Amino acid sequence: MEIEVHQKELTPISQRNMLWSAFLGGGAAGLFVDIVLFPLDTLKTRLQSEKGFRNSGGFKAIYKGLAPQVVGSAPQAAFFFITYESIKHYSEPLVPKQAMPLVYMFGASVAEVMACLVRVPMEVTKQRKQTSIAYKSSIRILMEAYKHEGFLRGVYRGFGSTIMREIPFSIIQFPTLEFCKSSYMSKFKNNIPLDSWEVAVCGSIAGGVSAAITTPLDVVKTRIMLADSKAAKMGSLTFTKTFHKVLRKEGVKGLYAGVLPRTLWIFLGGYIFFGSYDFAKTSVFDFLEERSLR
């Protein structure tokens, strides 16, 4: 039983079950994919580091920084999908079909802002652990960031640049995902809802394309998060200044540092993530619906 079949006729209880299924399914999928593909994320971060790949750790300790990723992965994915699915669900009866890509873009953008409330402190901690030779606990890294730079400039360092990366990424990814799903469903499935593996294929295509295009934004975000506190206090860590600095010193090649592991990571991650999300969401929804009928 697919959730899409019921969206036009959901009762209030089913609507609540739909939101819970999106929340729990997103959390489970996010946690699963981040653990499986974490080494690719580490390599990508070290390639983008200003210190250079070798000085940031090279191929050593590629699971360094996994702990903050595990802690933050499920909540940020859950917040994203409950926001995105809610906007999508409640907009569908009110918006013409040809205007739905705008809804997908708007929903993904709002969802990314919500997810970044959890994602940014996790990213700051994770990336500093990934590129540090010395061992520091996650709590110590956050405490040092807060002590030397404050809450917004330290713990939430790079919040703006993360949003500037994630919103364009999602604006590309989710309309592409929905287009792939609807095209495949109409041409090959006679409008029967897709199986989870088919959603996974659509997710990998959308993710890989989006990742390659938005790599320069990811490089800028990484440089801002990894910069020392002195640069933050001097006010030189704006998105525009960092972008021009990388372009001036390293050229276009610098802006596309780590493009291969990033694209591969999100291509594979899109397959695993959207497939497991669809499966988990549908399974949770069916379970909650069955309980509601008892």
Side-chain angles (χ1 to χ4, degrees):
M1 182 173 67
E2 294 281 347
I3 295 177
E4 286 83 353
V5 175
H6 299 277
Q7 282 192 343
K8 301 296 183 181
E9 52 189 40
L10 289 179
T11 65
I13 293 177
S14 294
Q15 289 178 355
R16 182 193 65 192
N17 292 342
M18 182 272 293
L19 294 177
W20 272 111
S21 66
F23 184 81
L24 296 174
L31 180 61
F32 180 61
V33 74
D34 284 342
I35 292 175
V36 172
L37 298 178
F38 190 81
L40 285 173
D41 180 45
T42 300
L43 296 179
K44 181 270 301 183
T45 300
R46 290 173 179 175
L47 283 167
Q48 293 178 348
S49 172
E50 194 169 10
K51 295 188 297 184
F53 180 72
R54 183 176 296 178
N55 292 333
S56 297
F59 290 100
K60 298 178 181 178
I62 56 176
Y63 275 95
K64 196 174 184 179
L66 179 62
Q69 183 79 12
V70 169
V71 171
S73 180
Q76 62 96 6
F79 280 134
F80 177 91
F81 273 103
I82 193 172
T83 305
Y84 177 74
E85 293 284 4
S86 297
I87 292 173
K88 176 183 169 184
H89 173 74
Y90 290 111
S91 298
E92 279 183 336
L94 306 174
V95 178
K97 186 175 181 180
Q98 58 270 26
M100 281 306 294
L102 296 177
V103 173
Y104 303 144
M105 293 179 185
F106 174 74
S109 299
V110 175
E112 287 295 358
V113 174
M114 294 299 296
C116 281
L117 295 174
V118 176
R119 181 181 299 146
V120 172
M122 176 196 76
E123 283 276 302
V124 169
T125 308
K126 178 196 72 175
Q127 292 195 324
R128 292 186 184 186
K129 287 178 75 71
Q130 286 174 326
T131 58
S132 174
I133 303 299
Y135 171 79
K136 288 185 180 180
S137 68
S138 300
I139 295 177
R140 183 180 175 186
I141 289 174
L142 284 177
M143 291 300 293
E144 286 182 352
Y146 176 76
K147 179 180 178 181
H148 296 299
E149 303 163 56
F151 187 72
L152 294 179
R153 289 190 176 183
V155 177
Y156 273 89
R157 161 92 71 84
F159 184 82
S161 60
T162 303
I163 289 176
M164 291 183 71
R165 178 197 68 176
E166 295 296 348
I167 288 180
F169 179 89
S170 293
I171 284 176
I172 298 169
Q173 183 185 39
F174 279 87
T176 303
L177 172 67
E178 300 293 350
F179 173 78
C180 289
K181 287 165 61 178
S182 62
S183 298
Y184 186 90
M185 191 165 60
S186 62
K187 291 181 180 179
F188 302 107
K189 298 278 288 187
N190 196 26
N191 290 322
I192 298 174
L194 305 185
D195 295 327
S196 294
W197 73 267
E198 294 167 319
V199 175
V201 172
C202 294
S204 65
I205 294 171
V209 170
S210 306
I213 293 173
T214 59
T215 294
L217 306 179
D218 187 52
V219 170
V220 173
K221 188 273 306 180
T222 299
R223 293 292 179 87
I224 289 174
M225 285 189 169
L226 294 179
D228 56 33
S229 57
K230 182 179 179 181
K233 291 177 180 178
M234 291 173 63
S236 61
L237 291 183
T238 65
F239 185 91
T240 303
K241 289 181 179 179
T242 305
F243 181 90
H244 286 303
K245 180 181 178 181
V246 175
L247 183 62
R248 185 178 66 253
K249 288 188 173 183
E250 304 167 49
V252 175
K253 182 180 179 180
L255 289 173
Y256 278 90
V259 63
L260 289 179
R262 171 173 163 80
T263 302
L264 179 61
W265 166 42
I266 298 181
F267 178 83
L268 295 175
Y271 186 91
I272 299 170
F273 183 84
F274 285 105
S276 57
Y277 169 67
D278 184 79
F279 178 78
K281 179 181 69 172
T282 303
S283 300
V284 171
F285 183 82
D286 289 348
F287 173 75
L288 293 175
E289 285 290 277
E290 289 176 7
R291 289 198 62 183
S292 300
L293 295 175
R294 290 177 185 174

